[in-house]
Amino acid sequence: MRRPLGTIFGDTGALRFRFAVTAPDLVRQGDYIKVWHPTDGWVLSQVVSIRRLSDLSFEEAKSAGAFTEIEEKVIAEGLVIG
């Protein structure tokens, strides 16, 4: 059984959308995914980019060391194919 990969958020268009990735171990750039659209049903899309963001500043990173715990967010962009 497959589990949800994330939640769509922010500005969405007819061809592109961003989603907060909740299963980063399951999503890779270039993957094909299906997205539920309330009017059109399941829509085929492709992951075109993935970004990781943290709450750590540059100065904190320089002085933190290798084992610092950081909070990380993963955001991906999807392109609607059909």
Side-chain angles (χ1 to χ4, degrees):
M1 179 170 174
R2 301 197 191 258
R3 65 181 187 177
L5 301 175
T7 303
I8 295 174
F9 72 94
D11 289 335
T12 60
L15 297 178
R16 290 189 176 265
F17 59 92
R18 291 186 306 161
F19 62 101
V21 178
T22 55
D25 54 323
L26 298 179
V27 180
R28 293 195 179 7
Q29 188 170 331
D31 283 354
Y32 293 98
I33 58 174
K34 64 180 185 177
V35 178
W36 179 255
H37 187 278
T39 304
D40 299 327
W42 291 108
V43 178
L44 179 64
S45 302
Q46 186 173 27
V47 178
V48 292
S49 70
I50 299 176
R51 297 182 337 168
R52 292 180 181 271
L53 308 167
S54 75
D55 59 350
L56 197 63
S57 72
F58 177 76
E59 293 301 320
E60 291 170 330
K62 281 185 5 184
S63 63
F67 299 105
T68 302
E69 246 183 75
I70 59 172
E71 184 167 330
E72 188 175 64
K73 297 175 186 173
V74 180
I75 299 172
E77 184 176 1
L79 176 66
V80 175
I81 296 173

